[in-house]
Amino acid sequence: MLVKGVVFRLGDELPSEARFLLEDFRLAVNNAVRTGLQARVTSRYALTKLTYNDFRQEHPKMYAKHLVSAFEVAGSVLKNHRRLVRKGNAGHVPYVRRLFMKAENQAYKLDRVNGVVDLPIRAGCHVMLKLVLSNYHRDYLNDPSYSLGSLTVFPDRVIIAFRKGAPKPYAPESALSLDTNERSLDGVFAKDNDVKTVKAEFPDIAMIQQRHHERRKRLQKKKAHDRRALRKLCRREGKREHHRIEYRLHQVANAVLSFAESRKSAIVLEDLKGFKPRWKKELNRRLSLWPRRKLHQIIQYKAQWRGIPVVKVDPRYSSRTCPICGRIQDSRMGTEFECECGWCLDRHINASLNLLQTAISKGMAGGLRFNPGAFQHDVMMILYDPVTGARSEPNGTSCMRVVA
Ligand SMILES: [Zn+2]
């Protein structure tokens, strides 16, 4: 089952009854967190059993399902806290400051035609929340194949979870193998005996990271006397950076997926999970690893939603192996890969050839065949370029959009 959270802005201000409900909900969550910590329980079931009766007396009018949902939120807060404790960097007792509430799908009603949420507050008291609808939102409301999941209410917006069964991925007719680098995805597109170079460049992501890093450094000097202001400004800086990078990652992912979908390709990626820095220089590299991991996450999750097969391959030796004779080089320095057998190719493209070969030899990419010797050095297909956006399918990127 795939879940996607869609953000709806509220047309009117939140009614005061609903505001009180949010406050009660927060109170219930924080009480449950404290009780759970004392009693050392984290599961919703245990929390409910332990505290339900007391809470019922304290919040006699609250809708019972909301109360249970508060226990669930408290359970996940406790789980996070416990993980931090295990890692040894837990701070104070967790406390939820943010005003919000969560309702399970039986605990609210949605009028999908008019975009109105019917939220029960207590017996005999409901509030109607009018949602602001765009075409993007209507696509979700009008499609009956999406069922409704939980509803999260904030003072100015709601998030509705839409669920659908994962579509079965198509049988690939070609493969798109990509090596993930700091500023680009480089790889090959292989169909039958035709192998071409592909590239999706995102140099601005590294630039944004660099710029924000410098700004934060400057702030640290300038606001050294005022820690509170420093923290606030740095947080704002970090949030901006995050949004700007995430936006670009979604664009790149959409371009790659549209390319793959239109050619019925399987996407082959390196598995970044096992990456551990072995020397100092790699440690620096690791600092900038997150956008690449994030890009993979986005590609994978969107591919699942669209039914595009994605294959993850262990990248070991992929940048040092010759795809023709199979020799493994000692070092992988330099931008060109050169082998004693005469094979010579851009290092990143070469790595993607090896990823593809691994995927095919392990039978992970269906019944595709692949001949690295058929590689066409002079042909380059651009999947994405930051200036013009996705080039190959001008409309392909509009079917999926960003949701926080
Ligand atoms: Zn060789």
Side-chain angles (χ1 to χ4, degrees):
M1 205 59 152
L2 301 174
V3 182
K4 188 175 171 71
V6 178
V7 182
F8 293 81
R9 289 224 343 272
L10 291 180
D12 311 307
E13 211 170 292
L14 198 70
S16 53
E17 291 95 340
R19 222 192 149 77
F20 289 138
L21 176 63
L22 296 196
E23 277 165 16
D24 277 351
F25 190 89
R26 180 171 62 182
L27 198 67
V29 169
N30 284 325
N31 281 339
V33 166
R34 244 169 288 142
T35 318
L37 265 185
Q38 277 165 4
R40 296 174 160 272
V41 296
T42 52
S43 80
R44 184 183 77 172
Y45 176 74
L47 273 175
T48 310
K49 219 172 125 186
L50 193 71
T51 49
Y52 187 84
N53 287 333
D54 293 349
F55 277 53
R56 198 70 261 189
Q57 278 162 13
E58 271 174 56
H59 309 270
K61 286 181 184 162
M62 199 184 197
Y63 191 52
K65 276 180 178 142
H66 295 335
L67 206 49
V68 174
S69 162
F71 294 140
E72 184 156 339
V73 172
S76 64
V77 170
L78 284 169
K79 219 164 154 189
N80 275 336
H81 179 69
R82 186 160 283 190
R83 205 182 55 218
L84 288 178
V85 170
R86 257 206 310 275
K87 281 187 182 165
N89 42 12
H92 44 79
V93 174
Y95 180 79
V96 178
R97 271 198 188 77
R98 214 166 170 198
L99 206 51
F100 80 102
M101 72 150 299
K102 211 172 154 189
E104 292 310 317
N105 61 349
Q106 306 96 344
Y108 73 98
K109 281 202 193 80
L110 174 65
D111 176 350
R112 290 174 81 147
V113 180
N114 300 314
V116 177
V117 172
D118 177 346
L119 183 70
I121 307 282
R122 53 180 186 268
C125 176
H126 289 227
V127 293
M128 299 290 173
L129 307 174
K130 177 98 188 79
L131 309 177
V132 178
L133 300 181
S134 68
N135 287 336
Y136 165 73
H137 295 107
R138 285 213 175 80
D139 286 348
Y140 281 94
L141 293 176
N142 294 341
D143 191 336
S145 68
Y146 296 133
S147 58
L148 293 177
S150 65
L151 167 84
T152 314
V153 184
F154 295 94
D156 60 334
R157 63 189 197 280
V158 303
I159 299 174
I160 297 175
F162 288 89
R163 299 191 291 198
K164 78 166 184 181
K168 199 172 174 294
Y170 52 72
E173 291 165 11
S174 57
L176 181 64
S177 173
L178 297 168
D179 180 49
T180 316
N181 300 299
E182 208 175 339
R183 288 156 188 272
S184 58
L185 292 167
D186 309 86
V188 291
F189 169 70
K191 188 179 166 74
D192 302 325
N193 261 335
D194 204 18
V195 187
K196 295 188 178 92
T197 316
V198 293
K199 202 175 184 71
E201 282 187 288
F202 39 86
D204 37 348
I205 289 181
M207 258 161 54
I208 291 169
Q209 279 194 309
Q210 183 63 30
R211 197 178 308 143
H212 283 268
H213 174 72
E214 274 162 20
R215 274 193 206 158
R216 268 196 296 267
K217 241 168 54 187
R218 235 181 5 242
L219 277 175
Q220 256 146 18
K221 247 186 230 148
K222 216 170 146 191
K223 295 279 170 201
H225 59 282
D226 187 350
R227 292 184 64 107
R228 193 192 59 86
L230 173 66
R231 211 178 312 140
K232 198 171 148 196
L233 290 169
C234 274
R235 203 180 297 143
R236 194 174 72 186
E237 212 48 46
K239 237 187 210 162
R240 271 189 195 151
E241 176 187 5
H242 192 88
H243 286 157
R244 299 178 68 192
I245 290 177
E246 198 122 315
Y247 171 72
R248 281 159 180 85
L249 292 177
H250 276 271
Q251 282 200 314
V252 174
N254 282 334
V256 167
L257 288 167
S258 295
F259 181 92
E261 196 174 33
S262 67
R263 289 161 182 82
K264 291 250 179 282
S265 303
I267 297 176
V268 181
L269 297 172
E270 66 202 298
D271 196 347
L272 291 172
K273 217 185 280 157
F275 187 86
K276 285 209 184 80
R278 271 162 297 180
W279 57 84
K280 243 193 180 157
K281 208 169 144 200
E282 273 197 335
L283 214 81
N284 290 333
R285 213 172 83 111
R286 206 177 105 124
L287 292 178
S288 62
L289 199 67
W290 88 258
R292 280 174 277 173
R293 281 207 176 120
K294 184 79 198 178
L295 180 60
H296 279 195
Q297 266 174 22
I298 295 173
I299 289 177
Q300 268 190 300
Y301 130 86
K302 288 190 186 217
Q304 251 188 350
W305 195 268
R306 287 162 76 162
I308 302 169
V310 174
V311 174
K312 289 278 205 103
V313 169
D314 182 0
R316 220 179 321 161
Y317 304 127
S318 67
S319 53
R320 297 198 278 136
T321 308
C322 171
I324 302 295
C325 67
R327 234 178 244 135
I328 296 177
Q329 310 264 322
D330 294 334
S331 130
R332 56 166 184 189
M333 297 305 161
T335 57
E336 291 282 308
F337 178 91
E338 277 175 67
C339 180
E340 290 158 51
C341 72
W343 180 255
C344 176
L345 188 62
D346 175 270
R347 182 163 63 91
H348 300 314
I349 308 288
N350 191 65
S352 77
L353 279 178
N354 285 317
L355 294 177
L356 180 57
Q357 216 159 26
T358 315
I360 285 180
S361 67
K362 289 194 174 162
M364 293 193 284
L368 292 178
R369 281 171 306 133
F370 171 56
N371 175 13
F375 183 70
Q376 290 173 286
H377 288 256
D378 46 345
V379 189
M380 158 92 75
M381 298 163 102
I382 304 288
L383 302 181
Y384 176 82
D385 138 358
V387 182
T388 52
R391 215 174 246 172
S392 46
E393 266 82 27
N395 292 324
T397 55
S398 57
C399 52
M400 200 71 184
R401 254 162 295 179
V402 190
V403 167

